[in-house]
Amino acid sequence: MQDVCVFCGSSAGKDPVFMQAAKALGDAISSASLGLVYGGAHVGLMGQVADAVLEGWQKVVGVIPQSFASKVSHEGLTQLHVVDSMHARKAMMFELADACIALPGGFGTLEELTEVVTWAQLELHQKPTGLLNINGYYNALLVFFDHAVEAGFIKPQHLELLIVHHDPTQLLQLLEDYKLQAASHN
Ligand code: AMP
């Protein structure tokens, strides 16, 4: 694993614990000598995770659509790709990374997260996807996913495609283990 894509809120959230978690994830990424790929903005949790990885002297690559590049781009990144659309952005973020992690966020984060899990269940890729569940932020979503399994809309084995943990370092290790396991099966 070399580069991790992080999906997260463009907002900071009301509880400071979410910004602290974004910093902790950035610190864990740089401590593991990994690079970060993300949405390229300086705002909210997005800016915080990028700043933490930069402070650890690791590579940060942003991918941002032309339409709001001038308003929210982070000016200090290792590399910033400006693309034509949100679709092009998501495709590029995914292509550039070996694994994806979602921190707390809103609709944008949920959309990015569920898209990569959908692609995994269709066997379009074997990149691991992690959910960093800070302060139980995602508990209600996980209960809903169980409900979707019970109702017959998500297959139980597909639920396992999402690796959930509350600790950034341990989550990174679980993603690494998943990759090694997938490689040994190929
Ligand atoms: P949200 O969770 O709704 O705040 O959306 C955050 C996610 O969607 C990020 O991972 C970005 O890729 C994208 N996104 C949504 N809003 C913005 C924004 N104002 N600036 C940059 N990226 C955004």
Side-chain angles (χ1 to χ4, degrees):
M1 198 156 82
Q2 293 186 331
D3 295 296
V4 178
C5 177
V6 173
F7 307 128
C8 60
S10 53
S11 306
K14 289 185 180 172
D15 190 328
V17 75
F18 298 123
M19 286 293 260
Q20 288 158 12
K23 172 154 175 36
L25 177 60
D27 289 345
I29 289 172
S30 64
S31 296
S33 300
L34 298 168
L36 170 71
V37 178
Y38 84 117
H42 67 81
V43 292
L45 301 192
M46 298 176 74
Q48 183 70 265
V49 71
D51 286 341
V53 177
L54 289 168
E55 278 161 25
W57 299 101
Q58 294 300 314
K59 178 184 73 170
V60 180
V61 176
V63 187
I64 199 157
Q66 180 78 56
S67 53
F68 50 92
S70 60
K71 287 180 220 135
V72 294
S73 286
H74 191 306
E75 300 298 330
L77 304 181
T78 316
Q79 202 176 8
L80 182 70
H81 297 280
V82 180
V83 295
D84 288 341
S85 66
M86 288 294 277
H87 285 105
R89 174 206 229 180
K90 282 192 295 172
M92 186 178 228
M93 284 164 67
F94 179 76
E95 281 308 315
L96 292 175
D98 305 301
C100 300
I101 292 179
L103 271 162
F107 283 131
T109 302
L110 290 175
E111 187 231 4
E112 292 166 336
L113 171 74
T114 51
E115 183 169 63
V116 294
V117 176
T118 305
W119 292 343
Q121 77 177 8
L122 294 172
E123 296 182 6
L124 298 176
H125 70 83
Q126 290 192 319
K127 297 181 185 182
T129 306
L131 187 66
L132 194 59
N133 191 16
I134 301 301
N135 261 20
Y137 175 74
Y138 280 118
N139 287 356
L141 184 68
L142 295 171
V143 168
F144 173 76
F145 288 162
D146 285 336
H147 167 68
V149 170
E150 274 167 36
F153 288 105
I154 293 178
K155 293 192 171 69
Q157 67 269 29
H158 289 156
L159 207 50
E160 288 165 22
L161 293 168
L162 193 58
I163 301 167
V164 184
H165 209 282
H166 61 273
D167 179 80
T169 304
Q170 291 191 45
L171 183 59
L172 285 174
Q173 188 58 55
L174 290 170
L175 299 185
E176 186 78 69
D177 294 347
Y178 179 103
K179 272 196 92 72
L180 292 173
Q181 232 178 346
S184 71
H185 286 150
N186 287 334

